Amino acid sequence: MSRVPWLDGELEYRSFGTPGAPRAVMVLRTGDVSTIDPDVRITSGFDVRIVAVGLDAPELEDPPAFGGQTPAGLTVDALRDLLEREAPGTTVGLVGERSAGPLAIHLAAAMGGVVDRLAIVGVESPSDPLSRDIHTPLLDDVVADTLIIVGGDGPADVDDAAWYLGRIPTARIEVIGADELDTINGHVTLSSVWESVLAHVAPGAERR
């Protein structure tokens, strides 16, 4: 486990996969498994280096808008610095699961063409008009080829995916049926769709 400074604390992250691989992917998640490989068997089939960052409530507070001086906005700055240090001078893939999804979107917007692939998994759309108004201008700046995965019995559904689809210039949706998921609660999680996600954010990196 590694750490980088953030405000008065630290962000935790772990690197795994293939050291020195030409393709890097940053994964943003919350919870106890946030820095754990979503599926070692699948990851080992790709020539890719993964940087998994664990986030919690303080890092996700308030959207990084209006100059970025919110906790989430400052977290975006810290993650951008981390990416520039871990994968200098190269394009990268970015993944956001559930509550970390909006932050992944805003990081992709902030980094422009440096993030060429983005995947968001089980991410709900903003719940009120004000939040939508704040988020929408930021989505216009996402140039990454974006995969939006929803489904199962989770809170994020087709309507949530359609909201992002209509606002991110290059995006497509993948809907997973609950009967297609081998999970305890039937929700779409990163582990349950890791193969599709990794194939999207690390194109051409699958070992032959």
Side-chain angles (χ1 to χ4, degrees), residues 62-92:
D62 301 321
F66 307 124
Q69 297 305 307
T70 66
L74 294 170
T75 302
V76 165
D77 291 340
L79 292 171
R80 179 163 48 186
D81 291 344
L82 176 59
L83 263 181
E84 290 173 351
R85 189 179 74 192
E86 294 291 322
T90 184
T91 53
V92 299

Side-chain angles (χ1 to χ4, degrees), residues 5-191:
W6 178 87
L7 295 181
D8 58 352
E10 295 175 316
L11 287 177
E12 293 187 346
Y13 72 97
R14 175 180 282 124
S15 296
F16 50 84
T18 307
R23 185 67 179 180
V25 171
M26 175 175 276
V27 177
L28 306 181
R29 304 168 80 188
T30 62
D32 294 339
V33 299
S34 58
T35 59
I36 295 175
D37 192 329
D39 191 322
V40 175
R41 296 167 300 175
I42 292 171
T43 303
S44 64
F46 286 77
D47 183 23
V48 65
R49 181 180 182 220
I50 312 292
V51 180
V53 182
L55 302 171
D56 55 28
E59 286 98 17
L60 301 172
E61 287 180 0
D62 301 321
F66 307 124
Q69 297 305 307
T70 66
L74 294 170
T75 302
V76 165
D77 291 340
L79 292 171
R80 179 163 48 186
D81 291 344
L82 176 59
L83 263 181
E84 290 173 351
R85 189 179 74 192
E86 294 291 322
T90 184
T91 53
V92 299
L94 183 60
V95 180
E97 181 193 46
R98 298 191 181 188
S99 59
L103 195 69
I105 292 170
H106 296 317
L107 178 60
M111 298 197 70
V114 172
V115 175
D116 66 344
R117 294 291 180 113
L118 170 66
I120 56 173
V121 178
V123 178
E124 297 179 70
S125 59
S127 58
D128 60 84
L130 177 59
S131 296
R132 294 187 188 104
D133 289 344
I134 291 173
H135 281 76
T136 297
L138 296 166
L139 301 181
D140 293 337
D141 294 329
V142 177
V143 297
D145 185 348
T146 302
L147 174 64
I148 305 163
I149 300 181
V150 296
D153 294 325
D157 59 19
V158 175
D159 290 338
D160 295 291
W163 189 87
Y164 286 109
L165 181 68
R167 291 163 177 80
I168 296 176
T170 305
R172 64 182 177 88
I173 296 173
E174 184 174 330
V175 181
I176 309 296
D179 56 349
E180 300 177 61
L181 296 174
D182 184 20
T183 60
I184 294 174
N185 55 18
H187 293 186
V188 173
T189 63
L190 186 57
S191 294

